[in-house]
Amino acid sequence: MTETTNMSPFGGIQLEIPDAVQTIMERRMIRPEDILQVLLFAERTGNKLKGTVSKHLLAYCKLSGVTFWVEYSQKGDQYLIHNAYSHRMEILEETR
């Protein structure tokens, strides 16, 4: 069974989180709100990668010292979450 989480306070974005991914998120202590923040950041900045085979998008955002990563696909305002993980690291970008 797939759970669809409607997070309208975040601009009408709807998250579709399959049960298996929800279980992973709970084990990794990742909240749907964290996922939304990553998605909003990715859409605002364009900082996301697209897989050549899966066509899934991958985005990250650092929130309160933790970097969250979300693998997802998008159809309009609907986001299907394929995976999510987090770790404590800092990504330094080289200035040119």
Side-chain angles (χ1 to χ4, degrees), residues 8 20 61 64:
S8 57
C61 182
S64 303

Side-chain angles (χ1 to χ4, degrees), residues 17-84:
I17 306 173
D19 290 341
V21 176
Q22 185 69 37
T23 299
I24 289 169
M25 288 172 54
E26 288 171 5
R27 189 172 61 237
R28 295 175 179 170
M29 294 185 282
I30 300 173
R31 304 170 305 151
E33 292 85 358
D34 300 324
I35 301 293
L36 279 168
Q37 292 301 320
V38 173
L39 297 176
L40 290 171
F41 179 76
E43 294 305 311
R44 187 177 78 244
T45 64
N47 287 346
K48 53 189 169 182
L49 303 171
K50 186 172 189 177
T52 55
V53 175
S54 70
K55 305 296 185 205
H56 293 172
L57 299 167
L58 180 65
Y60 72 91
C61 182
K62 186 174 180 182
L63 306 169
S64 303
V66 177
T67 302
F68 292 91
W69 293 83
V70 179
E71 179 183 352
Y72 65 99
S73 52
Q74 180 182 0
K75 193 183 278 188
D77 288 339
Q78 178 107 14
Y79 292 79
L80 172 60
I81 308 304
H82 301 286
N83 197 4

